[in-house]
């Protein structure tokens, strides 16, 4: 996603987001995102002059604009001491994409002390999450099961049950 020509942005422009990439942990471009995937979000920026203690933020919304989550350097306690003039990038590692299949919107921001807003991009990009066979069951993680994917594993202690008890308990669910 290239943001350099994007006009719909707020902030004083001391630092601007220039583009964003989705990558694998090994640094390759990620063409598809599946429910349950890990993901690197690389945010490229351009600093006009030295900026101290900036905070970067990444927000996810549903396609209809419902706010789902935000992760920021401030919220996670990740301290960026300073950005020097010129280009650079910062990476956000997402261990587990717990979104159901569908289209999602991204908003990004860079904030400084004060607070002062350097760059704010609302709904500047979208990405699709694809159905996955996370459990290797042949039954995909599908959007009909909700907005978020809760990875879980069932266990059952079958001692002391009879076939009738098994049948009646499954009918109740």
């Amino acid at each position: 996603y290239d943001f350099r020509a994007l006009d719909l942005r707020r902030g004083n422009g001391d630092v601007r987001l220039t583009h964003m990439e989705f990558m694998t942990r090994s640094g390759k471009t990620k063409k598809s995102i599946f429910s349950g995937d890990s993901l690197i979000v690389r945010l490229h920026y351009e600093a006009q002059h030295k900026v101290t203690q900036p905070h970067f933020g990444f927000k996810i919304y549903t396609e209809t604009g419902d706010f789902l989550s935000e992760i920021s350097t401030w919220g996670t306690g990740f301290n960026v001491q300073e950005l020097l003039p010129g280009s650079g990038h910062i990476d956000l590692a997402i261990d587990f994409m717990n979104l159901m299949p569908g289209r999602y919107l991204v908003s990004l921001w860079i904030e400084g002390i004060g607070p002062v807003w350097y760059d704010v991009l609302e709904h500047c990009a979208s990405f699709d999450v694809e159905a996955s066979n996370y459990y290797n069951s042949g039954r995909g993680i599908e959007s009909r099961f909700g907005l978020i994917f809760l990875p879980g594993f069932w266990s059952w202690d079958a001692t002391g049950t009879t076939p009738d008890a098994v049948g009646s308990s499954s009918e109740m669910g």
Side-chain angles (χ1 to χ4, degrees), residues 144-167:
R144 66 186 172 114
F145 299 126
L147 287 175
I148 62 169
F149 170 36
L150 298 176
F153 297 92
W154 294 92
S155 64
W156 179 45
D157 180 4
T159 56
T161 61
T162 64
D164 289 336
V166 171

Side-chain angles (χ1 to χ4, degrees), residues 70-82:
E70 175 181 35
I71 186 166
S72 68
T73 55
W74 179 85
T76 59
F78 185 81
N79 189 18
V80 177
Q81 288 294 323
E82 65 182 19

